[in-house]
Every structure is written in structure tokens, then in C-alpha cells.
Amino acid sequence: MAAPNSAQRKACWDARDQLWQCLDDNNDKTQSCQQVQGDFEAKCPAQWVKYFTKRRDFLKYKEKMQTEGFTPAGGPQVNS
């Protein structure tokens, strides 16, 4: 597969941004964004779709850790 040209990359990034906005507006309910998801998948290479999906998950996790902080799990206690 050839690398996407400038216009294809821009179309992909625009589709990604529209999907992420839709997900933000609908509290990450994917069923509300199926049409936008299909457009995103049609305009982006499959590897990019996978990467951007993982990237969004990471950014959401990072934002949660920064706003709510980290709370360790209540696992076994080790005496030192």
C-alpha cells in the first residue's frame, strides 16, 4: 500500500476529528456515531484507524489521571 498523499492525510485527519468530536458530544457512545465512524474508516488506512483509536483511549486515560488522580488498587499489603 502506498503512503497517503497530502490531500488523503488531511481527509483522514478531518474524519478523525469529526469522530472524536461526535464521541465527545455523545459521551463515547459509539452507536450514536456509526455514520461518522464509517466515514473515518473509509478515509483512513486500517493501521491509522487502529493507531488513532488507541491514541484516543490513551489521551482519555491520561486526562482522567490528571484530573482525578491515581488511586492504587486495594491489593495485598506488604509490610516493610
Side-chain angles (χ1 to χ4, degrees):
M1 179 177 132
N5 65 31
S6 178
Q8 292 169 324
R9 288 192 305 268
K10 182 174 181 349
C12 174
W13 295 331
D14 289 344
R16 174 207 57 195
D17 293 343
Q18 289 174 359
L19 174 61
W20 287 12
Q21 185 63 51
C22 180
L23 291 170
D24 287 342
D25 294 345
N26 291 290
N27 295 320
D28 289 326
K29 293 180 182 158
T30 55
Q31 62 270 24
S32 301
C33 302
Q34 287 181 343
Q35 183 176 358
V36 183
Q37 176 79 32
D39 188 43
F40 168 63
E41 291 175 1
K43 291 182 178 177
C44 296
Q47 277 188 298
W48 289 26
V49 170
K50 185 177 177 181
Y51 169 79
F52 286 139
T53 301
K54 287 183 178 183
R55 177 86 176 141
R56 178 176 167 78
D57 291 343
F58 169 75
L59 292 173
K60 287 292 196 179
Y61 175 77
K62 181 179 173 183
E63 179 183 353
K64 181 180 176 184
M65 290 297 109
Q66 289 174 336
T67 57
E68 298 176 17
F70 174 74
T71 303
Q77 301 296 317
V78 177
N79 296 328
S80 44

Short mmCIF file of all heavy atoms in Angstrom, two decimals, residues 11-20 33-46 48-53:
data_model
loop_
_atom_site.label_atom_id
_atom_site.label_comp_id
_atom_site.label_asym_id
_atom_site.label_seq_id
_atom_site.Cartn_x
_atom_site.Cartn_y
_atom_site.Cartn_z
N ALA A 11 -7.86 14.55 4.69
CA ALA A 11 -9.21 13.98 4.76
C ALA A 11 -9.33 13.01 5.93
O ALA A 11 -10.33 13.00 6.65
CB ALA A 11 -9.56 13.29 3.45
N CYS A 12 -8.29 12.21 6.13
CA CYS A 12 -8.28 11.26 7.24
C CYS A 12 -8.31 12.00 8.58
O CYS A 12 -9.10 11.67 9.46
CB CYS A 12 -7.05 10.36 7.15
SG CYS A 12 -6.84 9.26 8.55
N TRP A 13 -7.44 12.98 8.73
CA TRP A 13 -7.38 13.72 10.00
C TRP A 13 -8.68 14.46 10.27
O TRP A 13 -9.14 14.53 11.41
CB TRP A 13 -6.20 14.69 10.00
CG TRP A 13 -4.87 14.01 9.95
CD1 TRP A 13 -4.55 12.77 10.43
CD2 TRP A 13 -3.67 14.53 9.37
NE1 TRP A 13 -3.23 12.48 10.19
CE2 TRP A 13 -2.66 13.54 9.54
CE3 TRP A 13 -3.34 15.70 8.73
CZ2 TRP A 13 -1.36 13.72 9.09
CZ3 TRP A 13 -2.03 15.87 8.28
CH2 TRP A 13 -1.06 14.90 8.46
N ASP A 14 -9.29 15.01 9.23
CA ASP A 14 -10.59 15.70 9.40
C ASP A 14 -11.66 14.70 9.84
O ASP A 14 -12.46 15.00 10.73
CB ASP A 14 -11.01 16.40 8.12
CG ASP A 14 -10.16 17.63 7.81
OD1 ASP A 14 -9.45 18.13 8.72
OD2 ASP A 14 -10.20 18.10 6.64
N ALA A 15 -11.66 13.51 9.23
CA ALA A 15 -12.63 12.48 9.61
C ALA A 15 -12.39 12.03 11.05
O ALA A 15 -13.35 11.82 11.81
CB ALA A 15 -12.53 11.28 8.66
N ARG A 16 -11.12 11.90 11.44
CA ARG A 16 -10.79 11.54 12.83
C ARG A 16 -11.31 12.60 13.79
O ARG A 16 -11.92 12.29 14.81
CB ARG A 16 -9.27 11.39 12.97
CG ARG A 16 -8.84 11.14 14.42
CD ARG A 16 -7.44 11.62 14.72
NE ARG A 16 -7.28 13.03 14.44
CZ ARG A 16 -6.11 13.64 14.34
NH1 ARG A 16 -5.00 12.96 14.47
NH2 ARG A 16 -6.03 14.93 14.11
N ASP A 17 -11.06 13.86 13.46
CA ASP A 17 -11.50 14.95 14.33
C ASP A 17 -13.02 14.97 14.47
O ASP A 17 -13.55 15.20 15.56
CB ASP A 17 -10.99 16.29 13.81
CG ASP A 17 -9.48 16.42 13.90
OD1 ASP A 17 -8.84 15.64 14.63
OD2 ASP A 17 -8.93 17.31 13.22
N GLN A 18 -13.73 14.71 13.37
CA GLN A 18 -15.20 14.67 13.41
C GLN A 18 -15.68 13.52 14.29
O GLN A 18 -16.63 13.68 15.07
CB GLN A 18 -15.78 14.55 12.01
CG GLN A 18 -15.62 15.80 11.17
CD GLN A 18 -16.09 15.60 9.74
OE1 GLN A 18 -16.51 14.51 9.35
NE2 GLN A 18 -16.01 16.66 8.95
N LEU A 19 -15.02 12.37 14.17
CA LEU A 19 -15.40 11.22 15.00
C LEU A 19 -15.15 11.52 16.46
O LEU A 19 -16.01 11.28 17.31
CB LEU A 19 -14.63 9.97 14.58
CG LEU A 19 -14.84 8.74 15.47
CD1 LEU A 19 -16.31 8.31 15.47
CD2 LEU A 19 -13.95 7.59 15.04
N TRP A 20 -13.97 12.04 16.78
CA TRP A 20 -13.67 12.33 18.18
C TRP A 20 -14.63 13.37 18.74
O TRP A 20 -15.05 13.26 19.90
CB TRP A 20 -12.21 12.79 18.31
CG TRP A 20 -11.22 11.67 18.15
CD1 TRP A 20 -11.45 10.41 17.70
CD2 TRP A 20 -9.83 11.73 18.46
NE1 TRP A 20 -10.29 9.68 17.70
CE2 TRP A 20 -9.28 10.46 18.15
CE3 TRP A 20 -8.99 12.72 18.94
CZ2 TRP A 20 -7.92 10.17 18.33
CZ3 TRP A 20 -7.65 12.42 19.11
CH2 TRP A 20 -7.12 11.16 18.82
N CYS A 33 -22.50 7.40 16.76
CA CYS A 33 -21.53 7.94 15.80
C CYS A 33 -21.17 6.95 14.71
O CYS A 33 -20.10 7.04 14.10
CB CYS A 33 -20.26 8.36 16.55
SG CYS A 33 -20.54 9.58 17.84
N GLN A 34 -22.05 6.00 14.42
CA GLN A 34 -21.72 4.95 13.45
C GLN A 34 -21.44 5.51 12.06
O GLN A 34 -20.54 5.04 11.37
CB GLN A 34 -22.82 3.90 13.40
CG GLN A 34 -22.84 3.00 14.61
CD GLN A 34 -23.91 1.95 14.55
OE1 GLN A 34 -24.84 2.03 13.76
NE2 GLN A 34 -23.78 0.93 15.40
N GLN A 35 -22.21 6.50 11.62
CA GLN A 35 -22.00 7.06 10.28
C GLN A 35 -20.64 7.76 10.20
O GLN A 35 -19.90 7.58 9.24
CB GLN A 35 -23.11 8.04 9.94
CG GLN A 35 -22.98 8.61 8.54
CD GLN A 35 -24.14 9.51 8.17
OE1 GLN A 35 -25.07 9.70 8.95
NE2 GLN A 35 -24.09 10.07 6.98
N VAL A 36 -20.30 8.52 11.24
CA VAL A 36 -19.02 9.22 11.27
C VAL A 36 -17.88 8.21 11.38
O VAL A 36 -16.82 8.38 10.76
CB VAL A 36 -18.99 10.24 12.44
CG1 VAL A 36 -17.70 11.02 12.45
CG2 VAL A 36 -20.17 11.18 12.36
N GLN A 37 -18.09 7.14 12.14
CA GLN A 37 -17.10 6.07 12.27
C GLN A 37 -16.83 5.43 10.92
O GLN A 37 -15.68 5.19 10.55
CB GLN A 37 -17.59 5.00 13.27
CG GLN A 37 -16.67 3.80 13.41
CD GLN A 37 -15.46 4.05 14.28
OE1 GLN A 37 -15.53 4.83 15.21
NE2 GLN A 37 -14.38 3.38 13.98
N GLY A 38 -17.89 5.16 10.15
CA GLY A 38 -17.72 4.57 8.83
C GLY A 38 -16.96 5.48 7.89
O GLY A 38 -16.12 5.02 7.11
N ASP A 39 -17.22 6.77 7.96
CA ASP A 39 -16.51 7.75 7.15
C ASP A 39 -15.03 7.77 7.52
O ASP A 39 -14.16 7.77 6.65
CB ASP A 39 -17.14 9.13 7.35
CG ASP A 39 -16.59 10.17 6.40
OD1 ASP A 39 -16.44 9.87 5.20
OD2 ASP A 39 -16.32 11.30 6.85
N PHE A 40 -14.76 7.75 8.81
CA PHE A 40 -13.38 7.71 9.31
C PHE A 40 -12.65 6.48 8.80
O PHE A 40 -11.53 6.57 8.28
CB PHE A 40 -13.42 7.74 10.84
CG PHE A 40 -12.12 7.44 11.54
CD1 PHE A 40 -11.01 8.24 11.37
CD2 PHE A 40 -12.02 6.35 12.39
CE1 PHE A 40 -9.81 7.97 12.04
CE2 PHE A 40 -10.84 6.07 13.07
CZ PHE A 40 -9.74 6.88 12.89
N GLU A 41 -13.28 5.31 8.91
CA GLU A 41 -12.65 4.07 8.47
C GLU A 41 -12.46 4.03 6.96
O GLU A 41 -11.51 3.43 6.46
CB GLU A 41 -13.46 2.88 8.95
CG GLU A 41 -13.40 2.69 10.46
CD GLU A 41 -14.29 1.59 10.98
OE1 GLU A 41 -14.99 0.93 10.18
OE2 GLU A 41 -14.30 1.39 12.22
N ALA A 42 -13.35 4.69 6.21
CA ALA A 42 -13.24 4.71 4.75
C ALA A 42 -12.12 5.65 4.28
O ALA A 42 -11.48 5.39 3.25
CB ALA A 42 -14.57 5.16 4.14
N LYS A 43 -11.87 6.70 5.03
CA LYS A 43 -10.89 7.71 4.60
C LYS A 43 -9.48 7.48 5.14
O LYS A 43 -8.55 8.14 4.69
CB LYS A 43 -11.37 9.11 5.01
CG LYS A 43 -12.58 9.55 4.22
CD LYS A 43 -13.01 10.94 4.59
CE LYS A 43 -14.20 11.37 3.75
NZ LYS A 43 -14.70 12.69 4.12
N CYS A 44 -9.33 6.57 6.09
CA CYS A 44 -8.02 6.35 6.70
C CYS A 44 -7.54 4.92 6.47
O CYS A 44 -8.35 3.99 6.48
CB CYS A 44 -8.10 6.59 8.21
SG CYS A 44 -8.51 8.28 8.67
N PRO A 45 -6.23 4.75 6.32
CA PRO A 45 -5.68 3.39 6.25
C PRO A 45 -5.99 2.63 7.55
O PRO A 45 -6.08 3.23 8.63
CB PRO A 45 -4.17 3.61 6.11
CG PRO A 45 -4.03 5.01 5.59
CD PRO A 45 -5.19 5.77 6.14
N ALA A 46 -6.14 1.32 7.45
CA ALA A 46 -6.53 0.50 8.60
C ALA A 46 -5.56 0.67 9.77
O ALA A 46 -5.98 0.73 10.93
CB ALA A 46 -6.63 -0.96 8.21
N TRP A 48 -3.86 3.28 10.53
CA TRP A 48 -4.09 4.58 11.14
C TRP A 48 -5.33 4.55 12.02
O TRP A 48 -5.35 5.15 13.09
CB TRP A 48 -4.24 5.66 10.06
CG TRP A 48 -2.99 6.00 9.33
CD1 TRP A 48 -1.89 5.21 9.15
CD2 TRP A 48 -2.70 7.24 8.69
NE1 TRP A 48 -0.95 5.88 8.41
CE2 TRP A 48 -1.42 7.13 8.11
CE3 TRP A 48 -3.40 8.42 8.51
CZ2 TRP A 48 -0.83 8.15 7.40
CZ3 TRP A 48 -2.82 9.44 7.80
CH2 TRP A 48 -1.54 9.31 7.25
N VAL A 49 -6.37 3.85 11.57
CA VAL A 49 -7.60 3.72 12.37
C VAL A 49 -7.25 3.07 13.71
O VAL A 49 -7.66 3.55 14.78
CB VAL A 49 -8.67 2.90 11.62
CG1 VAL A 49 -9.84 2.57 12.53
CG2 VAL A 49 -9.14 3.65 10.38
N LYS A 50 -6.48 1.99 13.65
CA LYS A 50 -6.08 1.30 14.88
C LYS A 50 -5.26 2.22 15.78
O LYS A 50 -5.49 2.29 16.99
CB LYS A 50 -5.27 0.06 14.50
CG LYS A 50 -4.89 -0.83 15.64
CD LYS A 50 -4.15 -2.07 15.14
CE LYS A 50 -3.70 -2.94 16.28
NZ LYS A 50 -2.98 -4.13 15.80
N TYR A 51 -4.30 2.93 15.19
CA TYR A 51 -3.45 3.84 15.96
C TYR A 51 -4.28 4.95 16.61
O TYR A 51 -4.14 5.22 17.80
CB TYR A 51 -2.36 4.46 15.07
CG TYR A 51 -1.64 5.59 15.75
CD1 TYR A 51 -0.64 5.33 16.69
CD2 TYR A 51 -1.97 6.92 15.49
CE1 TYR A 51 0.03 6.37 17.34
CE2 TYR A 51 -1.31 7.96 16.13
CZ TYR A 51 -0.33 7.68 17.05
OH TYR A 51 0.31 8.71 17.69
N PHE A 52 -5.14 5.60 15.82
CA PHE A 52 -5.92 6.72 16.34
C PHE A 52 -6.89 6.26 17.43
O PHE A 52 -7.14 6.99 18.39
CB PHE A 52 -6.69 7.44 15.23
CG PHE A 52 -5.82 8.29 14.33
CD1 PHE A 52 -6.02 8.31 12.97
CD2 PHE A 52 -4.81 9.08 14.85
CE1 PHE A 52 -5.24 9.11 12.13
CE2 PHE A 52 -4.01 9.87 14.03
CZ PHE A 52 -4.23 9.88 12.67
N THR A 53 -7.41 5.05 17.31
CA THR A 53 -8.32 4.52 18.33
C THR A 53 -7.56 4.32 19.64
O THR A 53 -8.04 4.72 20.72
CB THR A 53 -8.94 3.19 17.85
OG1 THR A 53 -9.66 3.44 16.63
CG2 THR A 53 -9.88 2.62 18.89
#
